[in-house]
Amino acid sequence: TVLLLNPAIGTDNIGDYIIYECVCSEMAEIFRQAFVKEIPTQMPAFHSYAVWRNSFAVQNYATCDYKFIGGSNILAKNMLTHYPQWNVNIFNCKPLANSVCIGVGAGAGEHTDAYTTHLYRKILSHSYYHSVRDERSKRYVEDVLGLKAINTGCVTMWALTPDFCAQIPAKKADNVVFTLTARVQEDL
């Protein structure tokens, strides 16, 4: 079985849906050969009490053969922030142990706290390389977290092969498709 941590569940950011679709497309060969379970990253996947009790449902997710984190700018440098991209904490992270990143990004900023480092080191695989979207994220995973990473770019760009790009019109069009993401500012 494969567990996919899906950034598109519980979000209104269309970019997370696009990333999710690209992850599924790029991982199709692996996903075709396994039963794929999905849980959200934007919302808590497990209640800490269920993890503490080691409930049957938690065991089903914890024992998956492979766990993948499907893209997005998910590695916040401070997981104590009021709105992390990944809604996980030290009390409910155990079933996610040994997860592997697919084209993820790390948030801006240079500093990270001990809690965040400890949390990621409990969740992320120490055996596999993590696919990250840029050099800053690679340095974060390698230098701060002490794990292995490779800069693969964002998973949304993997299909941009020379053949595909050659089919993109080079002349100005009358219409364009674009998305906007709302930025919510909360009073603290």
Side-chain angles (χ1 to χ4, degrees), residues 123-161:
I123 296 170
L124 299 178
S125 173
H126 292 243
S127 302
Y128 294 102
Y129 277 84
H130 298 278
S131 161
V132 296
R133 65 170 55 173
D134 53 47
E135 283 300 308
R136 180 183 70 208
S137 302
K138 183 177 186 287
R139 284 191 305 274
Y140 181 70
V141 171
E142 290 181 336
D143 299 344
V144 176
L145 303 180
L147 304 173
K148 300 179 284 189
I150 184 169
N151 180 355
T152 60
C154 182
V155 69
T156 60
M157 300 184 67
W158 295 0
L160 298 179
T161 63

Side-chain angles (χ1 to χ4, degrees), residues 5 59 65 68 86 88-89 115 121 147 163 170:
L5 284 75
Q59 289 177 42
D65 298 310
F68 297 106
W86 191 4
V88 66
N89 61 59
Y115 169 75
R121 288 189 51 75
L147 304 173
D163 290 339

Side-chain angles (χ1 to χ4, degrees), residues 22 43 53 56 68 74 88 113 128 131 145 152 174-175:
C22 291
M43 304 180 319
R53 284 187 48 237
F56 182 69
F68 297 106
I74 205 160
V88 66
D113 57 272
Y128 294 102
S131 161
L145 303 180
T152 60
D174 293 331
N175 300 303

Side-chain angles (χ1 to χ4, degrees), residues 15-155:
D16 289 330
Y17 288 94
I18 295 168
I19 290 169
Y20 167 74
E21 288 177 5
C22 291
V23 166
C24 289
S25 175
E26 294 295 337
M27 300 292 287
E29 189 62 33
I30 292 171
F31 290 175
R32 250 194 303 277
Q33 299 173 23
F35 179 72
V36 179
K37 301 176 183 182
E38 294 185 24
I39 59 173
T41 58
Q42 302 276 346
M43 304 180 319
F46 307 103
H47 190 280
S48 56
Y49 182 70
V51 173
W52 177 75
R53 284 187 48 237
N54 198 27
S55 73
F56 182 69
V58 168
Q59 289 177 42
N60 278 334
Y61 290 104
T63 58
C64 287
D65 298 310
Y66 297 99
K67 301 169 193 170
F68 297 106
I69 304 165
S72 191
N73 198 32
I74 205 160
L75 298 177
K77 302 281 179 77
N78 178 1
M79 288 299 285
L80 295 173
T81 184
H82 64 281
Y83 187 72
Q85 289 278 6
W86 191 4
N87 204 327
V88 66
N89 61 59
I90 203 71
F91 302 108
N92 68 2
C93 70
K94 187 176 180 181
L96 304 177
N98 297 313
S99 293
V100 179
C101 297
I102 304 173
V104 305
E110 295 300 316
H111 303 290
T112 193
D113 57 272
Y115 169 75
T116 300
T117 300
H118 178 70
L119 180 61
Y120 289 151
R121 288 189 51 75
K122 286 182 74 68
I123 296 170
L124 299 178
S125 173
H126 292 243
S127 302
Y128 294 102
Y129 277 84
H130 298 278
S131 161
V132 296
R133 65 170 55 173
D134 53 47
E135 283 300 308
R136 180 183 70 208
S137 302
K138 183 177 186 287
R139 284 191 305 274
Y140 181 70
V141 171
E142 290 181 336
D143 299 344
V144 176
L145 303 180
L147 304 173
K148 300 179 284 189
I150 184 169
N151 180 355
T152 60
C154 182
V155 69

